[in-house]
Amino acid sequence: MSQAFSAPGKALLAGGYLVLDPSYNSYVTALSSRMHVVLRLGQERSDGLSSIKVLSPQFHNGEWEYITTSKEDLLSVKEVNDRVNPFLIATVNTVLAYIQPSTKYNVQLNIYSDPGYHSQENTTPKLSINGKRSFLCHTQAIHEVAKTGLGSSAGLVSVVTAALISYFGKGKELDKNVVHNVAQIAHCYAQKKIGSGFDVAAAVYGSIIYRRFQPKIIEDLLQHPVFSATGDEKLQKEYSSALRKVVDSDWDFNHTPCTLPPHIRLLMGDIQGGSETPKLVSKILQWKKEKPEQSSALYKDLNAANESLITALDELHKLYKEKHDVYSKGIKFFSDQSIDNLTKEVIPDFTAFYDLISSIKSIRLNLRKLTEYSGASVEPKEQTALLDDCITLKGCFGGVVPGAGGYDAICLLMVDDSIGKFVQASKSDSRFEKVTWLNLHEEKNGIIVEDVRHYLGL
Ligand SMILES: Nc1ncnc2c1ncn2[C@@H]1O[C@H](COP(=O)(O)OP(=O)(O)OP(=O)(O)O)[C@@H](O)[C@H]1O
Ligand SMILES: C[C@@](O)(CCOP(=O)(O)O)CC(=O)O
């Protein structure tokens, strides 16, 4: 009995910071870099204990084994060698608390992550027997390898949750809402904070318009006394019932599926340098507290700009469906020129394309105000120059600093056929010397079941 699942990485195109507040929608694109898990029955242990062994063979020392403390207590586990992986232990504990297993279990999980999640320096590829999968092997341990910001922990927590729930569910169809709710709780617990959860939601549901759940749902759960009195079986049982109630309740959040319109593709550029999201977030929150009037006015404008992007993308889908020829002409028109060179008059047929361009401009204008007012480098000057340079080349509708912004990355919306020429042109142009274009595209699916044969030999 083997099973495999995968879940996507993410790019938050619109809604950074606002998405921390359950009042605002964000736009999240799921990416072609995915986290994979293969679940097999594990070996019985000679001591008769239940166990969940996790191997992550691309990384040095990527091995964790969680065993129960006794044959009778199937709910609490510890890592055999005291090896630390906060995201794994949180996921294992949360799933066990939700499932409350009544019979012994021994399972093994193998984790594989696509190349986009981590820096590819000093790696060697490894191919599965049928050649369908190839992953990069690193010389360092997982916590030592540089990340690219696609949400590896959210992917990990989501696929491990899916695999374990499916195993314990014994053939019952996987309920994505249950996987999502359990994964959000485990991820918050591991991070020791309650983020907006857009990364976990994208890993589970794929490309989505996401509005957050009320954080209180999880806050109350993580205040439970079980966390300050480990080993207390009665408290453990109480916590399990409380957790089950929360997971099975209605979270009232938005996860409407979405996808970029036909022939419009995302192009991500990795920038040398980096930013620390928690520092940016705390600066923004501090400014919000100190300047309530200024910040609520700006949040209102930024939200209107975000919503106008969502509407423009929706209008483009409609145009494609209802006036296919006009849509194709629009795509051709924008592939042949830079939007920097557009004349003032709007070609009426192409209004939806112009709306897309102006919504991106409006998001950026407001992100620059956010930068100026709060002092947090959300769209710093270097990124402003770079994004302005991108729209001088043909086929680019505009671009943003995704997620929390800063110096990490840029994300462009491009005519698909223009990407090759765009990348080529940028290579011989010193304005783009700090950018590495990433081999990524949108893959809108969230968690999917994979064919286990594709992972044999890895
Ligand atoms: N392939 C993997 N195998 C085992 N553990 C992993 C793997 N990928 C991620 N992790 C766990 O997730 C941690 C990284 O999570 P963290 O939230 O810091 O980064 P991230 O989710 O990639 O970042 P971001 O949210 O900025 O995209 C690792 O230190 C490890 O504990
Ligand atoms: C700033 C924030 O809204 C987005 C962070 O996005 P990213 O990790 O930079 O992709 C934080 C959050 O939503 O948890």
Side-chain angles (χ1 to χ4, degrees), residues 25 27 42 50 58 61 68 117 136 161 163 264 271 318 361 368 424 436:
N25 275 321
Y27 189 92
S50 290
Q58 291 163 271
N61 271 339
T68 51
Y117 285 100
L136 298 179
T161 302
I264 298 184
I271 315 293
K318 280 191 198 136
K361 283 192 176 152
R368 286 199 295 276
Q424 209 48 44
T436 309

Side-chain angles (χ1 to χ4, degrees), residues 78-280:
K78 61 168 187 144
E79 209 286 322
V80 188
N81 298 306
D82 292 328
R83 286 199 177 145
V84 179
N85 189 323
F87 292 94
L88 281 178
I89 184 115
T91 309
V92 168
N93 275 328
T94 311
V95 172
L96 290 177
Y98 176 71
I99 296 288
Q100 300 173 17
S102 51
T103 49
K104 199 179 133 198
Y105 49 87
N106 295 101
V107 290
Q108 180 179 312
L109 303 169
N110 280 45
I111 307 292
Y112 304 102
S113 60
D114 281 339
Y117 285 100
H118 295 101
S119 151
Q120 297 178 21
E121 268 172 37
N122 297 324
T123 55
T124 37
K126 189 158 187 205
L127 204 65
S128 64
I129 290 173
N130 69 6
K132 296 269 188 195
R133 294 276 181 262
S134 172
F135 298 107
L136 298 179
C137 296
H138 299 253
T139 50
Q140 294 162 299
I142 177 69
H143 58 273
E144 292 164 340
V145 177
K147 299 168 295 177
T148 54
L150 302 192
S152 61
S153 60
L156 176 82
V157 169
S158 302
V159 286
V160 169
T161 302
L164 290 176
I165 287 187
S166 172
Y167 165 76
F168 286 111
K170 298 188 175 84
K172 243 179 49 198
E173 206 190 322
L174 197 62
D175 182 337
K176 272 201 181 173
N177 294 332
V178 169
V179 174
H180 169 266
N181 297 359
V182 170
Q184 287 285 14
I185 295 167
H187 201 247
C188 285
Y189 181 72
Q191 284 192 313
K192 305 267 170 284
K193 72 176 167 80
I194 305 179
S196 73
F198 79 92
D199 44 2
V200 173
V204 175
Y205 298 108
S207 294
I208 42 173
I209 295 165
Y210 176 72
R211 186 175 45 73
R212 188 191 191 185
F213 49 85
Q214 293 294 337
K216 200 165 166 20
I217 305 181
I218 296 186
E219 256 159 36
D220 288 351
L221 200 60
L222 299 187
Q223 296 297 323
H224 196 278
V226 75
F227 295 112
S228 40
T230 40
D232 184 324
E233 247 181 77
K234 193 166 153 267
L235 278 179
Q236 182 67 46
K237 290 217 169 95
E238 259 177 43
Y239 172 71
S240 282
S241 333
L243 175 97
R244 223 181 226 192
K245 241 192 208 153
V246 169
V247 170
D248 293 336
S249 67
D250 179 7
W251 281 30
D252 181 25
F253 69 113
N254 185 15
H255 55 93
T256 307
C258 62
T259 170
L260 291 173
H263 303 296
I264 298 184
R265 262 182 67 169
L266 160 149
L267 179 62
M268 297 260 295
D270 186 37
I271 315 293
Q272 287 162 24
S275 297
E276 286 177 64
T277 302
K279 281 196 184 146
L280 292 171

